[in-house]
Amino acid sequence: AVKSALAQTYEDMEIIISDDCSTDGSYQRILSTCKLYPNVRRLVLRRNSENLGIVEHLNRLVRLASGRLIVVGAGDDVAMPDKTRRLVQEWKRSGALVFGCNPKVIDAEGIPIGRFYSGNIPESFDCMAMIRRRNAGLFLCAFDRKVFDVFGPLDAEQDLEDQVIPFRASLLRENGIQVINEPLVYYRAHHDSIVASLRFSHNSKPLEVLRRKISGYVLLYRSWLHDLNKIMSVNPDKFLNEKKSLSKRLTIMESIEKVVMGDSISSRLHAWRAGVSSKSVPGYYALPLLALVLFPEFTATMASSFHWFLYLRRPERGV
């Protein structure tokens, strides 16, 4: 990841390589690698004094960066040499605020195993598409800092920054999200990655994994709704349908969260009855939720294995 950042063909940029207080010698390896690139200009090397986590670390780096377009790169991914050049080119051409791509997927050893998304993906989409389909097919590569200037830092409680940032762009500008259907990145997919440990841990019990995913989406929807309300405070008549749809989804997910977070069958059953009677849980969710109340481990295992429960586990298409 560090070598690919230092080997970009686009030169007029500031490169910030930041270590989030790692304990495995990563920062020392970063320093050693950077010494091999003495001609790189405007290089900033830094290390946090404490581990901040993905979102708060990103908040700090946005404040530190001096550029307008912020190109992001994860510590275990590899950028193509012309990644930054293509992103700057599209930023100047389209006027969009957030940019994604369709990476090639590699395993832990760097061997290609497919594409992140099979086939073509939409070149752009709006906030309603995100509400209905969550990330709507975006692998986040870069964003204009305006999404932070207007809305402020990201909520550090949630770890879905790659879905909050595009949603903000869709609120600020029509066609604010631009997707470059090119493999600008090698995306490393393996069980020991940070994303896997946060979202798709294979070591946890199925019910705990399901609880974590549901709680993650509750936090995501709340963050989306907070940003939506900020825009509507200035223009109350804008995004009325989007707010109605998002509020409904948040209410449903909060009701489901009460069911899965219950410590006993009686508490889960009480939450299920309350959700069904208030109609915050639609009829087509009632039976799966009742199964979760009565047979929590079995139902959670089915949910994680076959993706049939509320689409809570995003399928890695094309992998």
Side-chain angles (χ1 to χ4, degrees):
V2 173
K3 289 180 179 179
S4 67
L6 297 173
Q8 290 295 294
T9 58
Y10 188 80
E11 296 183 353
D12 186 19
M13 65 176 178
E14 171 189 53
I15 300 176
I16 302 175
I17 300 176
S18 182
D19 178 84
D20 194 17
C21 196
S22 62
T23 58
D24 60 356
S26 293
Y27 190 60
Q28 287 68 33
R29 291 195 292 272
I30 290 172
L31 295 177
S32 299
T33 301
C34 290
K35 290 180 180 179
L36 303 176
Y37 296 82
N39 297 325
V40 174
R41 298 178 297 172
R42 301 174 64 189
L43 174 62
V44 178
L45 301 177
R46 64 181 305 279
R47 186 172 188 265
N48 293 329
S49 58
E50 60 179 341
N51 184 269
L52 300 178
I54 294 176
V55 175
E56 189 54 41
H57 193 189
L58 179 60
N59 285 335
R60 184 165 295 187
L61 292 176
V62 170
R63 292 194 296 268
L64 180 65
S66 59
R68 189 78 201 169
L69 180 69
I70 298 177
V71 179
V72 294
D76 54 358
D77 297 339
V78 180
M80 299 292 190
D82 63 342
K83 172 188 174 182
T84 304
R85 181 187 62 80
R86 284 290 292 118
L87 290 168
V88 171
Q89 184 182 56
E90 287 300 312
W91 177 54
K92 292 180 177 179
R93 182 194 67 81
S94 67
L97 299 174
V98 163
F99 300 87
C101 75
N102 189 2
K104 290 183 178 180
V105 181
I106 57 177
D107 63 14
E109 305 301 322
I111 300 174
I113 56 177
R115 291 289 290 274
F116 195 81
Y117 296 104
S118 59
N120 293 331
I121 50 180
E123 291 186 0
S124 185
F125 40 84
D126 58 18
C127 61
M128 183 61 89
M130 294 198 67
I131 292 170
R132 290 174 175 170
R133 299 171 54 203
R134 291 193 292 280
N135 72 336
L138 183 76
F139 180 92
L140 182 64
C141 289
F143 57 88
D144 190 300
R145 69 181 312 123
K146 185 176 181 179
V147 297
F148 276 74
D149 293 342
V150 173
F151 295 101
L154 301 173
D155 181 1
E157 288 189 15
Q158 54 83 28
D159 58 18
L160 294 169
E161 78 290 340
D162 55 350
Q163 298 188 39
V164 176
I165 293 174
F167 189 77
R168 289 178 167 188
S170 71
L171 296 176
L172 290 175
R173 184 173 300 174
E174 186 177 357
N175 297 322
I177 302 171
Q178 187 73 25
V179 181
I180 304 171
N181 195 22
E182 300 173 17
L184 302 181
V185 177
Y186 284 108
Y187 170 73
R188 199 179 303 273
H190 57 94
H191 289 304
D192 296 324
S193 69
I194 294 177
V195 172
S197 65
L198 288 174
R199 304 179 193 173
F200 311 118
S201 174
H202 60 291
N203 296 320
S204 302
K205 294 181 179 180
L207 185 57
E208 293 303 317
V209 174
L210 190 62
R211 284 171 170 169
R212 187 161 60 247
K213 291 175 183 177
I214 292 173
S215 295
Y217 283 118
V218 168
L219 291 173
L220 173 65
Y221 291 157
R222 286 174 181 168
S223 180
W224 280 0
L225 191 59
H226 176 270
D227 291 338
L228 187 59
N229 285 332
K230 187 162 189 174
I231 293 296
M232 294 184 70
S233 66
V234 179
N235 191 345
D237 296 327
K238 195 173 185 180
F239 300 122
L240 290 175
N241 291 333
E242 287 82 355
K243 182 175 181 177
K244 180 179 179 180
S245 179
L246 180 56
S247 297
K248 179 180 179 181
R249 282 165 169 76
L250 175 59
T251 300
I252 292 172
M253 197 60 72
E254 287 175 334
S255 298
I256 294 170
E257 184 182 37
K258 290 180 181 178
V259 172
V260 300
M261 292 299 178
D263 293 329
S264 64
I265 290 181
S266 61
S267 62
R268 283 195 292 268
L269 188 59
H270 176 75
W272 175 79
R273 285 172 175 167
V276 172
S277 62
S278 66
K279 297 184 179 180
S280 60
V281 175
Y284 46 83
Y285 286 143
L287 188 58
L289 285 175
L290 183 59
L292 189 60
V293 169
L294 299 177
F295 312 103
E297 288 295 338
F298 173 76
T299 307
T301 301
M302 293 287 288
S304 296
S305 300
F306 300 107
H307 309 163
W308 62 269
F309 184 75
L310 296 179
Y311 197 55
L312 289 173
R313 181 171 182 175
R314 183 180 66 187
E316 294 182 284
R317 292 171 287 173
V319 178

